[in-house]
Amino acid sequence: MSGAELVILNGRVLTMDAGMPRAEAVAVSGNRIVAVGSNNDIIGLASPTARRVDAQGATVMPGMVEAHLHLFAGAFGLRLLQLDGVQGLPALRDKVQAYAKENPNEALLICKAADYNLFGEGVMTTRQMLDEVLEERPLLLVAGDHHTAWANTIALRKAGILQGRDLPPGNEIVMDDNGFAAGELREGEAQAPVMALRSSGGRENLGLHGEEPETPPTAAERADDIAVLEEGLRLCASYGFTSLHNMDGNRYQLDLLQEIEGRGNLDCRIEVPFHLTPAKPIESLEEASVLAKEFATDRLSANRVKMFMDGVIDSATAVMVEDYADIPGWRGDPLHSAERFNAACIEADRRGLQISVHAIGDGAVRRVLDGYEAAARVNGKRDSRHRIEHIEVLHPDDLRRFRELGVVASMQPPHPPGAMDFPLEPWVSHVGEERWPWAFPVSYLRAEGVPIAFASDWPVSDVNPMRGVKAAVTRKAWHPGHPSHASTLRQALHGYTAGGAYAGHREKTLGCLKAGLFADIVVMDRDLETSEIEDLDQARAVVTICSGKITWGD
Protein backbone atom coordinates (compact mmCIF):
# COMPACT_ATOMS: atom_id res chain seq x y z
CA MET A 1 0.00 0.00 0.00
CA SER A 2 1.20 3.55 -0.73
CA GLY A 3 -0.20 7.00 -1.17
CA ALA A 4 -0.72 8.25 2.40
CA GLU A 5 -1.52 11.96 2.20
CA LEU A 6 -0.28 12.82 5.68
CA VAL A 7 2.36 11.15 7.83
CA ILE A 8 3.45 11.87 11.39
CA LEU A 9 7.04 10.80 12.07
CA ASN A 10 9.48 10.70 14.99
CA GLY A 11 6.77 10.56 17.62
CA ARG A 12 6.36 8.92 20.98
CA VAL A 13 3.03 7.50 19.91
CA LEU A 14 0.61 6.43 22.66
CA THR A 15 -1.99 4.58 20.63
CA MET A 16 -4.44 3.56 23.41
CA ASP A 17 -4.59 0.29 21.44
CA ALA A 18 -3.87 -2.67 23.73
CA GLY A 19 -2.68 -4.68 20.72
CA MET A 20 0.11 -2.19 19.95
CA PRO A 21 0.34 0.42 22.71
CA ARG A 22 3.38 2.26 21.33
CA ALA A 23 4.71 3.30 17.96
CA GLU A 24 6.83 5.96 16.22
CA ALA A 25 4.69 7.10 13.32
CA VAL A 26 1.20 7.28 11.83
CA ALA A 27 -0.03 7.38 8.22
CA VAL A 28 -3.30 9.00 7.14
CA SER A 29 -5.23 8.83 3.91
CA GLY A 30 -8.42 10.81 3.54
CA ASN A 31 -10.18 10.82 6.91
CA ARG A 32 -8.77 7.49 8.11
CA ILE A 33 -5.63 6.14 9.70
CA VAL A 34 -4.07 3.64 7.29
CA ALA A 35 -1.10 2.49 9.35
CA VAL A 36 0.63 2.88 12.71
CA GLY A 37 4.20 1.67 13.18
CA SER A 38 7.87 2.55 12.97
CA ASN A 39 9.29 5.48 11.01
CA ASN A 40 10.57 3.05 8.38
CA ASP A 41 7.13 1.44 8.06
CA ILE A 42 5.36 4.74 7.58
CA ILE A 43 7.86 6.59 5.37
CA GLY A 44 7.39 3.93 2.72
CA LEU A 45 3.64 4.61 2.66
CA ALA A 46 3.88 8.35 2.03
CA SER A 47 2.87 9.69 -1.37
CA PRO A 48 5.36 12.03 -3.09
CA THR A 49 3.24 15.02 -2.09
CA ALA A 50 2.36 13.82 1.42
CA ARG A 51 2.23 16.33 4.25
CA ARG A 52 4.90 15.38 6.79
CA VAL A 53 4.60 16.32 10.44
CA ASP A 54 7.79 15.86 12.46
CA ALA A 55 6.77 15.20 16.06
CA GLN A 56 10.40 15.67 17.18
CA GLY A 57 10.12 13.08 19.92
CA ALA A 58 6.93 14.51 21.41
CA THR A 59 3.83 12.60 22.45
CA VAL A 60 1.39 11.70 19.68
CA MET A 61 -1.96 10.31 20.81
CA PRO A 62 -5.61 10.04 19.80
CA GLY A 63 -7.44 13.33 19.48
CA MET A 64 -8.78 14.21 22.90
CA VAL A 65 -12.43 13.89 23.84
CA GLU A 66 -13.96 16.62 26.03
CA ALA A 67 -16.65 14.42 27.54
CA HIS A 68 -18.57 17.15 29.39
CA LEU A 69 -18.73 20.82 28.42
CA HIS A 70 -21.14 23.63 27.57
CA LEU A 71 -19.77 24.97 24.30
CA PHE A 72 -22.12 27.90 23.63
CA ALA A 73 -22.10 29.22 27.20
CA GLY A 74 -18.37 28.66 27.53
CA ALA A 75 -17.50 30.44 24.29
CA PHE A 76 -19.85 33.34 25.03
CA GLY A 77 -18.35 33.58 28.49
CA LEU A 78 -14.99 34.47 26.95
CA ARG A 79 -16.53 37.89 26.27
CA LEU A 80 -17.51 38.41 29.91
CA LEU A 81 -15.47 39.61 32.88
CA GLN A 82 -13.58 36.73 34.52
CA LEU A 83 -13.04 36.95 38.28
CA ASP A 84 -10.53 34.12 38.71
CA GLY A 85 -8.29 35.01 41.64
CA VAL A 86 -10.19 38.20 42.55
CA GLN A 87 -10.65 38.59 46.32
CA GLY A 88 -12.06 41.42 48.42
CA LEU A 89 -14.02 44.61 47.80
CA PRO A 90 -11.23 46.87 46.41
CA ALA A 91 -10.06 44.35 43.81
CA LEU A 92 -13.62 43.49 42.79
CA ARG A 93 -14.65 47.14 42.53
CA ASP A 94 -11.68 47.98 40.32
CA LYS A 95 -12.40 45.09 37.96
CA VAL A 96 -16.15 45.63 37.74
CA GLN A 97 -16.09 49.41 37.33
CA ALA A 98 -13.54 49.18 34.55
CA TYR A 99 -15.69 46.52 32.86
CA ALA A 100 -18.76 48.72 33.25
CA LYS A 101 -17.01 51.62 31.52
CA GLU A 102 -16.00 49.35 28.64
CA ASN A 103 -19.61 48.18 28.22
CA PRO A 104 -21.78 51.28 28.68
CA ASN A 105 -24.79 49.85 26.82
CA GLU A 106 -24.95 46.40 28.42
CA ALA A 107 -28.21 45.98 30.33
CA LEU A 108 -26.75 43.42 32.75
CA LEU A 109 -23.09 43.20 33.65
CA ILE A 110 -22.23 39.52 34.14
CA CYS A 111 -19.02 38.42 35.80
CA LYS A 112 -17.89 34.78 35.74
CA ALA A 113 -15.87 32.57 38.10
CA ALA A 114 -16.75 34.40 41.32
CA ASP A 115 -15.41 32.70 44.44
CA TYR A 116 -17.84 31.53 47.13
CA ASN A 117 -15.40 33.16 49.58
CA LEU A 118 -15.08 36.37 47.58
CA PHE A 119 -15.35 38.60 50.66
CA GLY A 120 -13.55 36.25 53.05
CA GLU A 121 -13.79 32.62 54.09
CA GLY A 122 -17.27 31.82 55.33
CA VAL A 123 -18.58 35.33 54.50
CA MET A 124 -21.79 35.26 52.50
CA THR A 125 -21.88 37.65 49.56
CA THR A 126 -24.90 39.97 49.81
CA ARG A 127 -26.58 42.48 47.53
CA GLN A 128 -25.41 45.30 49.83
CA MET A 129 -21.79 44.25 49.31
CA LEU A 130 -22.32 44.29 45.56
CA ASP A 131 -24.02 47.69 45.79
CA GLU A 132 -20.70 48.97 47.13
CA VAL A 133 -19.06 47.59 43.99
CA LEU A 134 -21.63 49.01 41.55
CA GLU A 135 -24.94 50.49 42.59
CA GLU A 136 -26.49 52.19 39.57
CA ARG A 137 -26.41 49.31 37.04
CA PRO A 138 -27.58 45.69 37.29
CA LEU A 139 -24.72 43.38 38.24
CA LEU A 140 -24.60 39.59 38.46
CA LEU A 141 -21.67 37.53 39.69
CA VAL A 142 -21.74 33.86 38.73
CA ALA A 143 -19.86 31.22 40.72
CA GLY A 144 -17.34 29.03 38.96
CA ASP A 145 -19.74 26.08 39.16
CA HIS A 146 -22.57 28.17 37.60
CA HIS A 147 -25.04 26.85 40.18
CA THR A 148 -24.93 29.96 42.39
CA ALA A 149 -24.98 33.64 41.51
CA TRP A 150 -25.12 36.92 43.41
CA ALA A 151 -26.96 40.06 42.28
CA ASN A 152 -26.95 43.67 43.43
CA THR A 153 -30.12 45.42 44.54
CA ILE A 154 -31.01 47.12 41.25
CA ALA A 155 -30.70 43.80 39.41
CA LEU A 156 -33.01 42.07 41.87
CA ARG A 157 -35.50 44.94 41.71
CA LYS A 158 -35.57 45.08 37.90
CA ALA A 159 -35.95 41.30 37.78
CA GLY A 160 -38.94 41.50 40.12
CA ILE A 161 -37.49 39.20 42.77
CA LEU A 162 -36.33 41.62 45.47
CA GLN A 163 -39.17 40.31 47.64
CA GLY A 164 -38.63 36.71 46.59
CA ARG A 165 -40.64 34.34 44.41
CA ASP A 166 -41.95 30.80 44.61
CA LEU A 167 -39.65 28.43 42.74
CA PRO A 168 -39.53 24.70 41.90
CA PRO A 169 -37.75 22.36 44.36
CA GLY A 170 -33.97 22.61 44.33
CA ASN A 171 -33.99 26.34 43.47
CA GLU A 172 -33.82 29.17 45.99
CA ILE A 173 -33.75 32.94 46.26
CA VAL A 174 -32.02 33.32 49.61
CA MET A 175 -33.95 35.79 51.78
CA ASP A 176 -32.66 38.01 54.59
CA ASP A 177 -34.24 38.54 58.00
CA ASN A 178 -36.22 41.54 56.71
CA GLY A 179 -38.05 39.59 54.03
CA PHE A 180 -35.96 40.80 51.09
CA ALA A 181 -33.70 38.88 48.74
CA ALA A 182 -30.23 38.70 50.29
CA GLY A 183 -28.54 38.61 46.88
CA GLU A 184 -27.68 34.90 46.59
CA LEU A 185 -29.49 32.96 43.87
CA ARG A 186 -29.22 29.18 43.96
CA GLU A 187 -29.72 27.27 40.72
CA GLY A 188 -31.10 28.22 37.32
CA GLU A 189 -34.72 29.07 38.12
CA ALA A 190 -33.59 31.54 40.77
CA GLN A 191 -31.07 33.16 38.43
CA ALA A 192 -33.28 33.23 35.32
CA PRO A 193 -35.22 36.47 36.12
CA VAL A 194 -31.97 38.40 36.48
CA MET A 195 -30.36 36.70 33.47
CA ALA A 196 -33.35 37.81 31.41
CA LEU A 197 -32.19 41.42 31.78
CA ARG A 198 -29.13 40.96 29.57
CA SER A 199 -28.85 42.60 26.18
CA SER A 200 -28.08 39.38 24.32
CA GLY A 201 -31.44 37.89 25.24
CA GLY A 202 -29.60 34.91 26.70
CA ARG A 203 -29.60 32.74 23.58
CA GLU A 204 -26.25 31.26 24.64
CA ASN A 205 -27.77 29.85 27.83
CA LEU A 206 -31.10 28.60 26.50
CA GLY A 207 -29.70 25.11 26.01
CA LEU A 208 -28.98 24.92 29.73
CA HIS A 209 -32.74 25.01 30.25
CA GLY A 210 -33.64 23.09 27.10
CA GLU A 211 -35.48 26.11 25.72
CA GLU A 212 -35.66 27.72 22.27
CA PRO A 213 -35.48 31.45 21.47
CA GLU A 214 -38.93 33.00 22.02
CA THR A 215 -38.59 34.99 18.82
CA PRO A 216 -36.47 33.93 15.85
CA PRO A 217 -33.04 35.57 16.05
CA THR A 218 -32.28 38.15 13.39
CA ALA A 219 -29.73 37.36 10.69
CA ALA A 220 -27.19 39.49 12.55
CA GLU A 221 -27.87 37.72 15.85
CA ARG A 222 -27.62 34.33 14.21
CA ALA A 223 -24.34 35.28 12.56
CA ASP A 224 -22.98 36.47 15.91
CA ASP A 225 -24.02 33.21 17.58
CA ILE A 226 -22.27 31.21 14.86
CA ALA A 227 -19.15 33.32 15.41
CA VAL A 228 -19.31 32.55 19.14
CA LEU A 229 -19.57 28.80 18.51
CA GLU A 230 -16.76 28.86 15.94
CA GLU A 231 -14.56 30.68 18.43
CA GLY A 232 -15.29 27.97 21.00
CA LEU A 233 -14.58 25.19 18.50
CA ARG A 234 -11.24 26.78 17.54
CA LEU A 235 -10.29 27.08 21.20
CA CYS A 236 -11.07 23.41 21.80
CA ALA A 237 -9.09 22.37 18.72
CA SER A 238 -6.13 24.42 19.97
CA TYR A 239 -6.00 22.22 23.06
CA GLY A 240 -6.04 18.99 21.07
CA PHE A 241 -9.73 18.18 21.25
CA THR A 242 -11.34 16.46 18.29
CA SER A 243 -14.62 15.37 19.94
CA LEU A 244 -16.96 17.22 22.30
CA HIS A 245 -19.85 15.91 24.38
CA ASN A 246 -22.05 18.94 24.94
CA MET A 247 -24.12 18.86 28.11
CA ASP A 248 -26.86 21.29 27.21
CA GLY A 249 -28.85 21.56 24.06
CA ASN A 250 -31.74 22.73 21.94
CA ARG A 251 -32.64 22.69 18.27
CA TYR A 252 -31.36 26.23 17.78
CA GLN A 253 -27.86 25.22 18.82
CA LEU A 254 -28.01 22.13 16.60
CA ASP A 255 -29.14 24.25 13.65
CA LEU A 256 -26.20 26.60 14.14
CA LEU A 257 -23.73 23.72 14.38
CA GLN A 258 -25.24 22.11 11.28
CA GLU A 259 -24.67 25.34 9.37
CA ILE A 260 -21.07 25.43 10.61
CA GLU A 261 -20.66 21.80 9.52
CA GLY A 262 -22.02 22.67 6.07
CA ARG A 263 -19.38 25.37 5.72
CA GLY A 264 -16.65 22.87 6.61
CA ASN A 265 -15.80 24.73 9.82
CA LEU A 266 -16.85 22.17 12.44
CA ASP A 267 -13.35 21.75 13.87
CA CYS A 268 -14.47 19.15 16.42
CA ARG A 269 -17.05 16.39 16.34
CA ILE A 270 -19.86 17.29 18.70
CA GLU A 271 -22.90 15.61 20.14
CA VAL A 272 -25.71 17.71 21.59
CA PRO A 273 -28.36 16.27 23.93
CA PHE A 274 -32.07 16.83 24.33
CA HIS A 275 -32.49 18.45 27.74
CA LEU A 276 -35.38 16.91 29.69
CA THR A 277 -36.02 19.46 32.41
CA PRO A 278 -38.36 18.85 35.36
CA ALA A 279 -40.94 21.09 33.67
CA LYS A 280 -41.08 19.07 30.45
CA PRO A 281 -43.48 16.13 30.13
CA ILE A 282 -41.98 12.73 29.49
CA GLU A 283 -43.87 12.69 26.19
CA SER A 284 -41.47 15.39 24.97
CA LEU A 285 -38.88 12.63 24.52
CA GLU A 286 -40.47 12.18 21.10
CA GLU A 287 -38.62 15.37 20.17
CA ALA A 288 -35.38 13.75 21.33
CA SER A 289 -35.96 10.88 18.93
CA VAL A 290 -36.68 13.32 16.10
CA LEU A 291 -33.44 15.20 16.78
CA ALA A 292 -31.50 11.93 16.95
CA LYS A 293 -32.67 11.00 13.44
CA GLU A 294 -32.25 14.47 11.97
CA PHE A 295 -28.73 15.13 13.28
CA ALA A 296 -26.77 11.94 12.69
CA THR A 297 -23.51 12.55 10.84
CA ASP A 298 -20.09 11.43 12.03
CA ARG A 299 -19.43 15.08 13.00
CA LEU A 300 -22.75 16.18 14.52
CA SER A 301 -25.12 13.95 16.46
CA ALA A 302 -27.96 14.17 19.00
CA ASN A 303 -28.62 10.71 20.38
CA ARG A 304 -28.61 11.55 24.08
CA VAL A 305 -30.91 12.88 26.81
CA LYS A 306 -29.55 15.12 29.58
CA MET A 307 -31.15 15.61 32.98
CA PHE A 308 -30.22 17.18 36.30
CA MET A 309 -30.95 15.38 39.56
CA ASP A 310 -29.49 17.92 41.96
CA GLY A 311 -27.39 21.06 42.31
CA VAL A 312 -23.97 21.42 43.96
CA ILE A 313 -22.54 20.83 47.40
CA ASP A 314 -21.11 24.35 47.80
CA SER A 315 -24.61 25.89 47.89
CA ALA A 316 -26.09 22.85 49.67
CA THR A 317 -28.36 22.05 46.71
CA ALA A 318 -26.78 18.64 46.07
CA VAL A 319 -28.82 15.67 47.33
CA MET A 320 -27.21 13.55 50.04
CA VAL A 321 -28.13 10.17 51.54
CA GLU A 322 -27.47 11.53 55.04
CA ASP A 323 -27.58 15.08 56.41
CA TYR A 324 -25.00 17.67 55.42
CA ALA A 325 -22.26 17.49 58.04
CA ASP A 326 -22.70 21.12 59.08
CA ILE A 327 -26.43 21.55 58.32
CA PRO A 328 -28.34 19.17 60.57
CA GLY A 329 -31.66 18.05 59.10
CA TRP A 330 -30.81 19.06 55.53
CA ARG A 331 -30.11 16.61 52.68
CA GLY A 332 -31.10 18.64 49.61
CA ASP A 333 -34.14 18.40 47.34
CA PRO A 334 -34.01 16.17 44.24
CA LEU A 335 -35.12 17.88 41.03
CA HIS A 336 -37.09 14.81 39.86
CA SER A 337 -39.28 12.55 41.95
CA ALA A 338 -38.27 8.88 41.92
CA GLU A 339 -41.47 7.95 40.08
CA ARG A 340 -41.02 10.56 37.35
CA PHE A 341 -37.34 9.90 36.92
CA ASN A 342 -37.80 6.15 36.62
CA ALA A 343 -40.51 6.69 34.02
CA ALA A 344 -38.26 9.08 32.07
CA CYS A 345 -35.38 6.59 32.09
CA ILE A 346 -37.62 3.74 30.96
CA GLU A 347 -39.00 5.78 28.06
CA ALA A 348 -35.65 7.22 26.94
CA ASP A 349 -34.04 3.80 27.13
CA ARG A 350 -36.93 2.24 25.22
CA ARG A 351 -36.24 4.70 22.41
CA GLY A 352 -32.60 3.63 22.28
CA LEU A 353 -31.35 6.97 23.56
CA GLN A 354 -28.35 7.32 25.83
CA ILE A 355 -28.99 9.13 29.12
CA SER A 356 -26.59 11.38 31.02
CA VAL A 357 -27.58 12.84 34.38
CA HIS A 358 -25.92 15.46 36.56
CA ALA A 359 -25.71 13.86 40.01
CA ILE A 360 -23.29 15.27 42.56
CA GLY A 361 -24.47 14.12 45.99
CA ASP A 362 -24.58 10.44 46.91
CA GLY A 363 -28.37 10.67 47.28
CA ALA A 364 -28.69 11.95 43.72
CA VAL A 365 -26.32 9.27 42.41
CA ARG A 366 -28.42 6.59 44.10
CA ARG A 367 -31.65 7.89 42.59
CA VAL A 368 -30.08 7.94 39.11
CA LEU A 369 -28.85 4.37 39.51
CA ASP A 370 -32.36 3.39 40.60
CA GLY A 371 -33.72 4.90 37.39
CA TYR A 372 -31.21 3.07 35.21
CA GLU A 373 -32.00 -0.16 37.02
CA ALA A 374 -35.71 0.38 36.38
CA ALA A 375 -35.04 0.89 32.67
CA ALA A 376 -33.03 -2.33 32.44
CA ARG A 377 -35.70 -4.24 34.36
CA VAL A 378 -38.52 -3.07 32.09
CA ASN A 379 -36.76 -2.91 28.72
CA GLY A 380 -34.14 -5.58 29.17
CA LYS A 381 -30.41 -5.05 29.46
CA ARG A 382 -28.58 -3.57 26.47
CA ASP A 383 -25.32 -1.77 25.82
CA SER A 384 -26.90 1.52 26.83
CA ARG A 385 -23.85 3.09 28.51
CA HIS A 386 -26.03 5.49 30.46
CA ARG A 387 -23.86 8.01 32.24
CA ILE A 388 -23.66 9.75 35.57
CA GLU A 389 -22.00 13.14 35.42
CA HIS A 390 -19.77 14.30 38.30
CA ILE A 391 -20.28 11.76 41.16
CA GLU A 392 -18.72 14.05 43.75
CA VAL A 393 -19.85 11.79 46.59
CA LEU A 394 -20.69 8.09 46.31
CA HIS A 395 -22.27 5.91 48.99
CA PRO A 396 -20.24 2.69 49.40
CA ASP A 397 -23.35 0.56 48.95
CA ASP A 398 -23.77 1.88 45.39
CA LEU A 399 -20.27 1.20 44.04
CA ARG A 400 -20.99 -2.27 42.67
CA ARG A 401 -24.14 -1.06 40.90
CA PHE A 402 -22.14 0.94 38.33
CA ARG A 403 -20.53 -2.18 36.93
CA GLU A 404 -23.68 -4.28 37.19
CA LEU A 405 -25.70 -1.70 35.23
CA GLY A 406 -22.96 -0.84 32.73
CA VAL A 407 -22.95 2.82 33.81
CA VAL A 408 -20.20 5.17 32.64
CA ALA A 409 -18.64 7.45 35.26
CA SER A 410 -18.15 10.86 33.65
CA MET A 411 -15.84 12.76 35.99
CA GLN A 412 -13.93 16.02 36.06
CA PRO A 413 -10.38 15.98 37.50
CA PRO A 414 -10.39 19.79 38.01
CA HIS A 415 -13.39 19.64 40.36
CA PRO A 416 -12.12 18.13 43.65
CA PRO A 417 -11.53 21.08 46.00
CA GLY A 418 -7.83 21.86 46.15
CA ALA A 419 -7.00 19.83 43.03
CA MET A 420 -6.96 22.80 40.68
CA ASP A 421 -8.90 26.04 41.09
CA PHE A 422 -11.69 25.31 43.58
CA PRO A 423 -11.19 26.12 47.28
CA LEU A 424 -11.67 23.57 50.04
CA GLU A 425 -14.47 25.49 51.72
CA PRO A 426 -17.40 25.26 51.96
CA TRP A 427 -17.28 21.88 50.18
CA VAL A 428 -15.24 19.86 52.69
CA SER A 429 -17.23 21.12 55.69
CA HIS A 430 -20.58 20.45 54.02
CA VAL A 431 -19.58 16.86 53.20
CA GLY A 432 -17.78 16.06 56.43
CA GLU A 433 -14.64 14.03 57.09
CA GLU A 434 -16.49 10.72 57.34
CA ARG A 435 -17.49 10.94 53.66
CA TRP A 436 -14.19 12.30 52.30
CA PRO A 437 -12.81 8.87 51.29
CA TRP A 438 -15.82 8.46 48.97
CA ALA A 439 -15.49 11.91 47.40
CA PHE A 440 -14.71 11.93 43.65
CA PRO A 441 -13.91 8.20 44.08
CA VAL A 442 -12.09 7.60 40.80
CA SER A 443 -9.82 4.82 42.04
CA TYR A 444 -12.69 2.89 43.63
CA LEU A 445 -14.69 3.05 40.39
CA ARG A 446 -11.67 2.13 38.28
CA ALA A 447 -10.86 -0.86 40.50
CA GLU A 448 -14.44 -2.04 40.05
CA GLY A 449 -13.99 -2.01 36.27
CA VAL A 450 -16.29 0.98 35.69
CA PRO A 451 -15.63 2.87 32.42
CA ILE A 452 -14.35 6.37 33.18
CA ALA A 453 -14.38 9.45 30.96
CA PHE A 454 -12.60 12.67 31.97
CA ALA A 455 -13.62 16.23 31.15
CA SER A 456 -13.61 19.83 32.39
CA ASP A 457 -17.28 20.87 32.45
CA TRP A 458 -16.18 24.09 30.74
CA PRO A 459 -16.92 26.90 31.57
CA VAL A 460 -17.18 25.58 35.15
CA SER A 461 -13.47 24.68 34.91
CA ASP A 462 -10.69 25.61 32.53
CA VAL A 463 -11.12 23.65 29.29
CA ASN A 464 -7.35 23.06 29.02
CA PRO A 465 -7.11 19.23 29.25
CA MET A 466 -3.49 19.21 30.37
CA ARG A 467 -4.43 21.17 33.47
CA GLY A 468 -7.02 18.46 34.06
CA VAL A 469 -4.43 15.73 33.49
CA LYS A 470 -2.11 17.34 36.02
CA ALA A 471 -4.97 17.68 38.52
CA ALA A 472 -5.78 13.98 38.09
CA VAL A 473 -2.17 12.88 38.54
CA THR A 474 -1.27 15.17 41.46
CA ARG A 475 -4.49 14.88 43.45
CA LYS A 476 -3.87 14.68 47.20
CA ALA A 477 -5.94 13.24 50.05
CA TRP A 478 -7.50 15.72 52.46
CA HIS A 479 -6.68 13.58 55.48
CA PRO A 480 -3.76 11.22 56.26
CA GLY A 481 -4.81 7.66 55.65
CA HIS A 482 -7.55 8.58 53.16
CA PRO A 483 -7.20 7.59 49.48
CA SER A 484 -5.99 10.33 47.16
CA HIS A 485 -7.87 8.88 44.16
CA ALA A 486 -4.99 10.10 42.00
CA SER A 487 -4.53 8.65 38.51
CA THR A 488 -1.37 7.62 36.72
CA LEU A 489 -0.45 9.64 33.63
CA ARG A 490 -1.58 6.84 31.35
CA GLN A 491 -4.88 6.51 33.20
CA ALA A 492 -5.49 10.24 32.95
CA LEU A 493 -4.69 10.35 29.24
CA HIS A 494 -6.92 7.32 28.67
CA GLY A 495 -9.77 9.17 30.40
CA TYR A 496 -9.37 12.09 28.00
CA THR A 497 -9.12 9.89 24.88
CA ALA A 498 -10.31 6.28 24.74
CA GLY A 499 -12.47 6.73 27.85
CA GLY A 500 -14.40 9.57 26.25
CA ALA A 501 -14.76 7.68 22.99
CA TYR A 502 -16.23 4.69 24.83
CA ALA A 503 -18.62 6.94 26.75
CA GLY A 504 -19.92 8.23 23.41
CA HIS A 505 -20.30 4.77 21.80
CA ARG A 506 -17.46 5.68 19.43
CA GLU A 507 -14.63 3.32 20.44
CA LYS A 508 -14.89 1.45 17.11
CA THR A 509 -14.18 4.63 15.14
CA LEU A 510 -12.05 6.89 17.35
CA GLY A 511 -10.25 7.27 20.67
CA CYS A 512 -7.42 4.99 19.54
CA LEU A 513 -4.70 5.15 16.88
CA LYS A 514 -5.30 2.09 14.75
CA ALA A 515 -5.63 1.39 11.03
CA GLY A 516 -9.19 1.89 9.81
CA LEU A 517 -10.26 4.35 12.51
CA PHE A 518 -10.93 8.05 11.94
CA ALA A 519 -7.76 10.11 11.77
CA ASP A 520 -8.35 12.08 14.97
CA ILE A 521 -4.85 12.76 16.26
CA VAL A 522 -3.01 15.28 18.43
CA VAL A 523 0.72 16.00 18.40
CA MET A 524 1.90 17.59 21.64
CA ASP A 525 4.81 19.98 22.15
CA ARG A 526 6.75 17.57 24.37
CA ASP A 527 7.10 13.98 25.54
CA LEU A 528 4.53 13.89 28.31
CA GLU A 529 5.95 10.72 29.83
CA THR A 530 9.38 12.23 30.47
CA SER A 531 8.12 15.67 31.49
CA GLU A 532 8.17 16.75 35.09
CA ILE A 533 4.75 16.24 36.64
CA GLU A 534 4.65 19.86 37.77
CA ASP A 535 5.07 20.96 34.14
CA LEU A 536 2.23 18.86 32.67
CA ASP A 537 -0.14 21.81 32.70
CA GLN A 538 2.25 23.73 30.44
CA ALA A 539 2.00 21.15 27.63
CA ARG A 540 0.04 22.19 24.56
CA ALA A 541 -1.05 20.74 21.25
CA VAL A 542 1.07 21.83 18.31
CA VAL A 543 -0.98 19.98 15.70
CA THR A 544 -4.58 18.78 15.99
CA ILE A 545 -6.07 16.60 13.25
CA CYS A 546 -9.79 15.82 13.07
CA SER A 547 -10.95 13.36 10.42
CA GLY A 548 -7.68 13.79 8.52
CA LYS A 549 -7.89 17.59 8.44
CA ILE A 550 -5.49 19.78 10.39
CA THR A 551 -7.68 21.96 12.61
CA TRP A 552 -4.90 23.49 14.67
CA GLY A 553 -1.23 24.17 13.97
CA ASP A 554 0.88 23.85 10.86
Side-chain angles (χ1 to χ4, degrees), residues 27-46:
V28 173
S29 182
N31 65 356
R32 300 279 177 170
I33 296 170
V34 294
V36 179
S38 68
N39 284 329
N40 288 337
D41 294 335
I42 300 306
I43 288 173
L45 301 178

Side-chain angles (χ1 to χ4, degrees), residues 351-496:
R351 292 173 174 273
L353 299 167
Q354 188 183 29
I355 307 168
S356 56
V357 183
H358 166 117
I360 280 183
D362 54 359
V365 172
R366 176 170 292 179
R367 180 161 292 188
V368 174
L369 290 169
D370 289 345
Y372 293 166
E373 186 174 322
R377 186 170 58 250
V378 172
N379 300 327
K381 293 195 72 170
R382 66 180 181 90
D383 185 17
S384 57
R385 301 186 202 178
H386 298 320
R387 305 164 48 148
I388 299 184
E389 312 296 322
H390 308 308
I391 319 168
E392 293 194 4
V393 183
L394 176 64
H395 193 282
D397 292 350
D398 293 318
L399 175 61
R400 61 175 177 78
R401 302 177 68 197
F402 276 79
R403 180 69 174 171
E404 291 171 355
L405 294 168
V407 175
V408 174
S410 172
M411 306 186 77
Q412 295 69 45
H415 285 193
M420 202 166 91
D421 295 330
F422 293 148
L424 294 175
E425 297 293 352
W427 198 101
V428 295
S429 293
H430 280 344
V431 171
E433 186 177 319
E434 185 177 338
R435 286 180 286 214
W436 289 353
W438 288 88
F440 306 89
V442 179
S443 60
Y444 291 163
L445 290 161
R446 186 179 284 125
E448 195 73 13
V450 176
I452 293 171
F454 279 166
S456 69
D457 195 12
W458 188 55
V460 171
S461 298
D462 188 350
V463 74
N464 181 349
M466 294 313 300
R467 292 196 69 206
V469 167
K470 179 181 175 180
V473 172
T474 61
R475 186 175 165 195
K476 303 290 191 296
W478 297 316
H479 186 280
H482 286 181
S484 70
H485 292 297
S487 300
T488 67
L489 177 61
R490 285 297 294 264
Q491 288 170 338
L493 295 176
H494 186 279
Y496 277 102

